[in-house]
Amino acid sequence: MPELKVKGVTIVETFAEAFPMVGTRVIITAPTAEWAMISARTMTGFATSVIACGAEGGIERTLSKSETPDGRPGVAVLLFTMDANMLQTQLRNRVGQCVLTSPGSACYAGLKGEKSLKLGSSLRFFGDGWQMSKVIGGRRYWRIPVMGGEFVCEEKTGMTTKAVGGGNLLVVGKSHKAVLAACTRAVKAMADVPDVITPFPGGIVRSGSKVGSKYAGQIASTNHAYAPGLKWHADSELPPSAEAVLEIVIDGLTADAVHEAMHEGLHAIAKGGAREGITHITAGNYGGNLGPHHFHLKEIVG
Amino acid sequence: MSALSFELKGRPEQRLDLSSLVPSRLDGLNRKQIEALSVATTRETLTVGDAFKVKGRDVQNLHFVGTDDRCDKIGAKLAGGEIVVDGDVGMLLGAQMKRGKIAVDGSAGVSVGASMSGGEISVRRDVGDQAGGVAFGDTFGMKGGFISIGGDAGSLLGERLRRGLIVVGGKAGDYAGGRMVAGTLLLRGGAGRYAGYGNRRGSLIFADKPRHLMPTYVDSGVMEFDYLRLLETWLREQGMRIRLGGRARRLMGDMAVLGKGEMLILE
């Protein structure tokens, strides 16, 4: 079988294994784009992995004044969890603690999902009876009096059960510097794809994990097959030249969106070619036992 | 398919009850059956065919042409579809409607959208008393939807309004928002006396400081309202040229009742 290469970078014939998630989108607006971003960043802080964060979240994109319900600058935020109850809890806590508290912010539904999640309908109780409900164009909003004026929050937002978590690319290179540069480029390219986020710090994971551990109670542990310091081990998947491996994890509202993001990311990684120090692009899977979504790299390339 | 149109043949001898001319009642009827429908309001029999020249077929798009102030209950209990009126209309336009759209290129009589629960009504010129008010036998006024009035509105605009939005381009009469339960009135040309009388939780938005203020409203000063921006954005999306800005003076009232209503006077 001929080896698949893009600009000299080997594309390993494997697949990224992803799993179903539930997801939602909210739109945060503020008096300035900077304050909308502060609020969104706070809301999606500590939302890298459902392993121990409760949710995976990230900023999908910034929104211009003409794209938001109140004509102010905004940010679209995506939030994913494994089940609807957890998503509801995370959404309420994060919007309540990070958007309600943020100066001048407002929070609106960003998704018309098959099901809905409570947004303002639970946060309104902060108003202690002084909250007011308003229906505009068939959508209900709550006006909650706060010290900074009023916090406006839409009653509900949509939820999708067709979301996909854990789409991924593993980037293997001859130096940490080369791999980091390629991954940074890829995250930037993926940021233009709608309906997806890369929830880890700057979109990149340096500690890809496997399920389970030799220690009782530890549910995930280092993916030792891709740790360059353990290349001596029989399990190692790395070539002798590998000095660093970084992973990009992608969550999306649909499998198609994850596929598109992986396509954009893969080509952005390979853009510099093998001469920039990237040797392999591969992906993480658990032999098909983790989830039903398999993103085969030979199809992603095309 | 062309709109089903009803062209008034001449000024009718009696008031007409046109509540049967809505899509849900016309669906499945042929031209002859439609022309045989009664529209009489007196003992003297009168059918659609006697009063109107009927053309077209699309029952979801109704077009009234040349109507006058004796044409009552157009779009009453409307549950979907669109009605365009080229002329004036009588009372109870869109009363108790649930869904759909009515656009009148003229003036309307009393009780426009009375106790409606959804949908949109736009009247290009003036409307009579009790627009968005209480329909005969009902407990509450408008319970949802949107009424846009280009000209002036009569007294008791939005009486016992419970939900929904009414925008008046001209001046509203006395008792605008009387005994409002909730919902919103946007008054671009001011109102007469006793605006917001008995208001429990509703919002009256004034483009300018009203000439008469109820003494039972309490000033809360000026602040920023994202709600006004939200409303402005939505109204612009509906094609209305409007500027609300974000700053307004807020007066809370009516303190003689619940006192959780408000007047927002734009800065």
Side-chain angles (χ1 to χ4, degrees), chain A residues 217-243:
Chain A
Q218 180 79 22
I219 60 169
S221 60
T222 190
N223 191 353
H224 65 270
Y226 288 92
L230 304 175
K231 271 184 292 196
W232 59 271
H233 197 283
D235 288 351
S236 184
E237 295 281 346
L238 297 177
S241 63
E243 193 178 302

Side-chain angles (χ1 to χ4, degrees), chain B residues 118-134:
Chain B
E120 287 179 35
I121 299 177
S122 68
V123 178
R124 191 161 154 259
R125 295 173 69 187
D126 303 337
V127 301
D129 294 343
Q130 291 180 303
V134 188

Side-chain angles (χ1 to χ4, degrees), chain A residues 27-163:
Chain A
I27 291 169
I28 298 170
T29 66
T32 63
E34 186 188 5
W35 274 104
M37 186 56 83
I38 288 171
S39 184
R41 281 213 183 105
T42 312
M43 183 191 155
T44 55
F46 187 57
T48 57
S49 165
V50 288
I51 293 173
C53 297
E56 299 187 6
I59 288 159
E60 184 188 18
R61 68 185 184 102
T62 55
L63 302 167
S64 66
K65 290 179 184 178
S66 62
E67 294 174 295
T68 62
D70 61 12
R72 302 191 301 166
V75 174
V77 166
L78 298 182
L79 201 65
F80 299 89
T81 64
M82 303 301 279
D83 66 74
N85 287 341
M86 182 57 94
L87 189 61
Q88 178 65 79
T89 305
Q90 288 289 323
L91 184 69
R92 187 194 62 214
N93 290 351
R94 287 169 184 270
V95 174
Q97 297 302 306
C98 309
V99 186
L100 167 68
T101 55
S102 178
S105 68
C107 191
Y108 306 109
L111 193 68
K112 275 186 186 170
E114 64 260 39
K115 289 179 180 167
S116 59
L117 294 166
K118 291 177 189 172
L119 196 60
S121 65
S122 50
L123 295 175
R124 71 186 159 113
F125 295 111
F126 186 76
D128 205 22
W130 300 106
Q131 67 274 20
M132 269 181 126
S133 149
K134 288 288 163 198
V135 179
I136 302 174
R139 292 164 70 166
R140 183 181 292 280
Y141 303 90
W142 285 96
R143 295 167 55 194
I144 303 165
V146 286
M147 284 164 54
E150 267 188 354
F151 173 54
V152 175
C153 190
E154 191 160 349
E155 169 150 284
K156 292 174 183 171
T157 186
M159 181 188 92
T160 176
T161 53
K162 296 187 173 64

Side-chain angles (χ1 to χ4, degrees), chain A residues 29 65-66 68-72 104-106 108 128-138 140-141 143 145 148-152, chain B residues 145 163-165 180 182-184 201-203 223-227 229-235 237-238 250 252 259-262 264:
Chain A
T29 66
K65 290 179 184 178
S66 62
T68 62
D70 61 12
R72 302 191 301 166
S105 68
Y108 306 109
D128 205 22
W130 300 106
Q131 67 274 20
M132 269 181 126
S133 149
K134 288 288 163 198
V135 179
I136 302 174
R140 183 181 292 280
Y141 303 90
R143 295 167 55 194
E150 267 188 354
F151 173 54
V152 175
Chain B
R163 226 174 275 132
L165 170 66
M180 266 172 102
T184 306
R201 285 182 185 274
S203 301
M223 58 177 249
E224 294 275 333
F225 289 94
D226 295 337
Y227 160 61
R229 295 194 182 89
L230 200 61
L231 188 60
E232 179 181 315
T233 307
W234 185 78
L235 288 169
E237 281 169 10
Q238 308 313 304
R250 186 188 212 204
M252 296 292 286
K260 288 187 174 178
E262 66 180 354
L264 298 179

